Amino acid sequence: MPLYRDFSDDNATILVWKYDENDELNIDELLEPENAEKVKDYHPKKLLEVLMVRKLLKSLKPNSKILYKEREPYLFPKDAEISITHSYPFAAIAISKNKIGIDIEKFNPKILRVIDKFTYENERGFIPFDTEVIFYTIIWSVKESMYKIHHSKHWSLKKHYEVKPFELKHLFDISCRVHDDQISDELKARVKFFDDYCFTIVEE
C-alpha cells in the first residue's frame, strides 16, 4: 500500500492513496459490519474506494471504525474528527483534532454545464475565460469541503457556501465562508493539484 501523497500538518493527518491492482483489499477484514447493508449494491469501483479509505484508517487507527450519522462519517470511538473523499483510483482520509473537510475532484469541462447550480453570477467576475474549468472545479471542491464541516439538509452549495476571489498562484490560503441567518463562519482553504485532480483541504 504505497502512499501517494501526504498533506499532513500540525493539526491533522491527511493521506492520499492511489489504487493499484496489486493492492489487497479484503472486505471481510476492512469493512465494518455496521456498513454491510449500506454497500451491498455499490458498483465495484465505488466499493474499492470505500475499502481503500478503511485501509488508510487501519494504518492510522487500527482499533477505530468509520460509522455514519445521517450520511455523515464519524470515528468510533469518537476521539478525533474525520473527513473522507474518493474518486477512483484515488481515496483520501483526514484525521484531525479540529473539524476538517477534504474533497477530491477531477478536472472536467462538464462542470461548466452546472455552474448555475453552485455559484451566483456575482461570484464569477474574477474567473479568466481560458482557465474556467480549473477555477470552477476549485470552487466546487472548496464548497464540498466546507459542507463536510458545516452541513444541513436545508443548505445548498449555491446559497450558503461562498468562495472569495483567488488566484491560481495563491492556492494555499483561499478565503471562504459558510453562512445562513444565524451563523457566518470564515474559513481558509488550501488546494493541491495532481494527476488532473484538484484536492482541497478546509480546516477550522
Side-chain angles (χ1 to χ4, degrees), residues 13-200:
T13 300
I14 306 165
L15 306 179
V16 182
W17 178 19
K18 185 176 183 180
Y19 179 69
D20 182 282
E21 290 184 357
N22 295 318
D23 292 322
E24 292 187 13
L25 296 170
N26 187 322
I27 189 170
D28 295 322
E29 294 177 0
L30 295 173
L31 186 69
E32 306 86 354
E34 295 91 335
N35 292 322
E37 185 69 17
K38 177 182 173 68
V39 307
K40 69 176 185 178
D41 296 322
Y42 277 15
H43 185 280
K45 282 187 177 178
K46 186 171 183 181
L47 181 59
L48 279 176
E49 293 169 350
V50 169
L51 297 179
M52 288 165 67
V53 167
R54 269 60 185 181
K55 193 150 187 174
L56 284 169
L57 178 65
K58 293 293 184 188
S59 72
L60 298 171
K61 297 176 76 66
N63 297 317
S64 294
K65 299 179 180 181
I66 297 175
L67 301 180
Y68 294 85
K69 181 178 181 181
E70 297 178 356
R71 297 177 59 191
E72 293 299 316
Y74 67 92
L75 272 181
F76 179 84
K78 193 169 179 12
D79 55 359
E81 299 291 336
I82 188 173
S83 184
I84 61 177
T85 186
H86 37 70
S87 179
Y88 186 86
F90 292 102
I93 191 169
I95 295 177
S96 177
K97 54 189 176 184
N98 302 318
K99 286 188 175 181
I100 187 168
I102 60 173
D103 184 67
I104 185 169
E105 301 289 341
K106 188 170 186 177
F107 292 112
N108 188 327
K110 289 181 180 179
I111 197 168
L112 300 180
R113 302 177 189 172
V114 297
I115 59 174
D116 286 334
K117 293 185 177 180
F118 67 96
T119 63
Y120 286 109
E121 190 171 343
N122 60 8
E123 287 184 275
R124 308 171 197 159
F126 69 98
I127 298 175
F129 177 76
D130 59 344
T131 48
E132 282 184 309
V133 172
I134 295 174
F135 272 87
Y136 284 119
T137 303
I138 292 171
I139 291 170
W140 173 273
S141 189
V142 170
K143 290 189 176 190
E144 285 283 346
S145 294
M146 283 194 286
Y147 177 83
K148 293 176 181 180
I149 294 176
H150 285 293
H151 63 273
S152 165
K153 62 184 178 182
H154 304 296
W155 287 0
S156 76
L157 293 186
K158 184 171 182 173
K159 293 180 180 179
H160 301 105
Y161 301 87
E162 177 186 4
V163 180
K164 305 292 178 62
F166 62 90
E167 299 178 14
L168 294 183
K169 61 183 178 181
H170 295 299
L171 295 178
F172 52 86
D173 198 24
I174 297 175
S175 296
C176 47
R177 182 171 73 113
V178 182
H179 60 96
D180 66 7
D181 293 338
Q182 274 86 40
I183 69 161
S184 180
D185 194 1
E186 305 282 342
L187 298 163
K188 294 287 185 180
R190 52 189 166 116
V191 178
K192 309 288 185 180
F193 295 159
F194 52 79
D195 280 28
D196 293 324
Y197 283 80
C198 165
F199 186 74
T200 303

